[in-house]
Amino acid sequence: MNHDTKLPRGTREVVSTHSVFGAPCWVSLTSRDLETTQDFYTAVLGWRWRTGRLGDRFRIALADGHPVAGIAAVASMWQMAVAWTPYFAVRSADEAVSRVQERGGTSAVGPISFPPGRAALLADRDGATFGIWEGELVSDWETWRRSSPAFIRLHTRDAFDAAIFYGEVLDWASQRPGCCEVHYEGGEVVLRSGGDVVARIVSGALGAAPDPTIRPHWQVHFAVHDVPACARTAEQNGGSVLSKSDDEAVLRDPDGAQFTVTSRRER
């Protein structure tokens, strides 16, 4: 979902999902308490904030002055799970939703209008939640993609089967100008957009696992310079550490949303 409808001074041509499609184009967090959420991510990731046109419940997170992610404090109001969700650019939200349903996935919300575009919240046939966005991309999107502040990885039952599902829904490897490239490297499916690695898909998740971290899900990673410091700060600010190494840590914010911080050199 594109929470950012303000174009900063000096912004170049606005990029649309009609010219760049199939790629991850945004990550968004649904939370319960906006102030607590902002304080936590400011402390852990050093983000700053600005508002858009969608109202007081929405914020844009900035890193080094560039948009990184969106926060929507609507989990309680809309009875949605507190979670980080990746959004993919599509030419047509209606067509993408139909494709998901035809292939055994489900539609939870939408498509609904969020000017300047339309969004839907979906799940693939293994239950992993993701979103789609049709319309203008976040301002300065090319900088967002190239700086790679956010990266996503799908933990799923079968990476090859998942790649087929998403490829058919999102027109991956369709030979259309602007589509994403799909490669199989080291047992993973690797997705590239404009030559940049933008997502990975790995096998091994268990659909019926009681632990939600083991079930199929999209994991959002944020690139940081000091993983151990982020983990310590998360605990000091009401979050928790689910796993940790020198190069990567899986964290949970005070609301329960799970995300990963990854060393910039390891992504």
Side-chain angles (χ1 to χ4, degrees):
M1 182 186 304
N2 183 353
H3 299 148
D4 185 14
T5 56
K6 293 183 178 179
L7 299 180
R9 188 178 302 170
T11 295
R12 297 181 181 178
E13 180 182 358
V14 174
V15 180
S16 165
T17 61
H18 295 282
S19 58
V20 177
F21 59 94
C25 63
W26 194 235
V27 292
S28 181
L29 171 64
T30 50
S31 73
R32 296 188 184 92
D33 185 280
L34 190 61
E35 184 176 352
T36 299
T37 300
Q38 288 184 198
D39 289 346
F40 176 81
Y41 286 97
T42 295
V44 175
L45 298 176
W47 288 349
R48 297 295 180 262
W49 307 92
R50 76 166 179 233
T51 57
R53 296 182 190 170
L54 294 183
D56 292 338
R57 292 179 179 269
F58 298 86
R59 293 291 186 276
I60 305 298
L62 305 174
D64 298 324
H66 299 297
V68 179
I71 290 182
V74 296
S76 299
M77 182 175 65
W78 292 354
Q79 296 184 333
M80 296 173 66
V82 173
W84 279 103
T85 303
Y87 281 76
F88 294 84
V90 296
R91 291 176 181 267
S92 167
D94 291 322
E95 184 176 324
V97 170
S98 294
R99 290 180 179 182
V100 166
Q101 294 171 332
E102 289 166 0
R103 289 159 178 79
T106 56
S107 174
V109 178
I112 54 179
S113 294
F114 285 97
R118 302 175 73 226
L121 189 63
L122 309 165
D124 65 25
R125 50 190 170 219
D126 285 317
T129 301
F130 67 102
I132 56 169
W133 173 257
E134 173 197 355
E136 293 179 7
L137 297 180
V138 63
S139 58
D140 208 13
W141 181 79
E142 290 288 358
T143 300
W144 182 87
R145 180 175 71 173
R146 291 182 182 129
S147 63
S148 302
F151 174 77
I152 59 173
R153 177 179 274 114
L154 174 62
H155 298 263
T156 190
R157 176 185 53 81
D158 184 311
F160 183 78
D161 182 69
I164 293 174
F165 172 86
Y166 285 96
E168 291 176 343
V169 169
L170 301 172
D171 280 327
W172 292 351
S174 63
Q175 306 306 312
R176 290 183 178 181
C179 77
C180 292
E181 304 168 2
V182 178
H183 302 270
Y184 299 91
E185 303 171 5
E188 293 185 338
V189 175
V190 179
L191 184 70
R192 285 185 170 86
S193 174
D196 300 317
V197 176
V198 292
R200 295 179 183 270
I201 302 176
V202 297
S203 300
L206 303 175
D211 184 350
T213 65
I214 300 175
R215 297 177 205 152
H217 67 282
W218 281 99
Q219 185 77 353
V220 176
H221 295 238
F222 296 105
V224 299
H225 293 292
D226 191 335
V227 170
C230 286
R232 289 193 301 270
T233 306
E235 290 182 313
Q236 293 166 358
N237 286 270
S240 56
V241 179
L242 303 183
S243 65
K244 181 177 65 174
S245 69
D246 288 340
D247 297 316
E248 187 168 283
V250 181
L251 309 178
R252 185 171 284 156
D253 72 18
D255 250 352
Q258 180 181 307
F259 64 102
T260 298
V261 290
T262 304
S263 172
R264 288 188 179 275
R265 65 180 181 277
E266 292 295 323
R267 205 215 71 167

